[in-house]
């Protein structure tokens, strides 16, 4: 068995496609009525569809998982993120861990937690 994709729930699929394209360079592979597969295995699903499947509310900013990206030029990415409109909500701005890795954490427009770090 192999992990194929990671799915996140979003309220506005168009806004999310733009966000992940503009900041991370991900492109749409499949766009199918509220279900979008992007490069790198990220899947976006509209909240209304997800709620029908699970029969429960979606809890944004639940901090129980994160999408993790690596970026060699993290200072340039941090500058790009600071200029992004509408502004992102930070968990922590660029910082350096005791082991030397630089990281930044923030939420996407739907409260999905994202971490970007330098390669370890």
């Amino acid at each position: 068995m192999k992990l194929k994709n990671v799915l996140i729930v979003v309220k506005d699929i168009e806004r999310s496609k733009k966000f992940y394209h503009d900041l991370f360079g991900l492109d749409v592979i499949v766009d199918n009525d509220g279900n979008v597969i992007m490069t790198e295995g990220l899947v976006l699903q509209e909240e209304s569809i997800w709620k029908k499947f699970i029969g429960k509310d979606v809890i944004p900013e639940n901090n129980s998982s994160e999408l993790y990206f690596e970026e060699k030029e993290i200072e340039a990415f941090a500058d790009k993120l600071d200029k992004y409109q509408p502004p992102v909500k930070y968990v922590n701005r660029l910082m350096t861990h005791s082991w030397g890795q630089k990281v930044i954490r923030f939420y996407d427009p739907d409260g999905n937690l994202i971490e970007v770090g330098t390669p370890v």
Side-chain angles (χ1 to χ4, degrees):
M1 185 180 308
K2 116 181 181 180
L3 176 63
K4 183 73 176 167
N5 297 98
V6 174
L7 181 147
I8 60 173
V9 177
V10 300
K11 291 181 188 293
D12 182 335
I13 204 109
E14 294 302 319
R15 177 184 67 186
S16 293
K17 288 189 314 191
K18 180 177 179 357
F19 178 85
Y20 284 98
H21 175 77
D22 291 353
L23 288 175
F24 301 99
L26 302 183
D27 293 317
V28 173
I29 298 171
V30 176
D31 192 340
N32 187 14
D33 196 28
N35 295 284
V36 171
I37 300 173
M38 302 190 81
T39 50
E40 302 300 322
L42 181 63
V43 177
L44 310 175
Q45 186 171 73
E46 285 186 352
E47 184 179 69
S48 60
I49 297 168
W50 184 250
K51 282 180 163 182
K52 282 182 201 174
F53 287 150
I54 66 168
K56 297 182 182 200
D57 288 331
V58 173
I59 304 167
E61 296 182 28
N62 64 26
N63 303 311
S64 63
S65 64
E66 73 175 14
L67 298 176
Y68 174 75
F69 295 86
E70 287 188 338
E71 173 58 58
K72 290 178 186 174
E73 303 296 327
I74 199 154
E75 287 84 2
F77 178 79
D79 288 341
K80 182 179 180 179
L81 193 58
D82 279 339
K83 295 173 184 165
Y84 191 77
Q85 292 298 319
V88 299
K89 181 177 179 182
Y90 288 94
V91 173
N92 64 272
R93 292 186 182 265
L94 191 58
M95 60 169 280
T96 305
H97 285 297
S98 60
W99 58 88
Q101 183 188 31
K102 294 180 179 182
V103 299
I104 188 168
R105 288 184 190 88
F106 54 97
Y107 295 106
D108 78 358
D110 297 287
N112 295 296
L113 183 57
I114 299 171
E115 177 179 346
V116 178
T118 52
V120 185

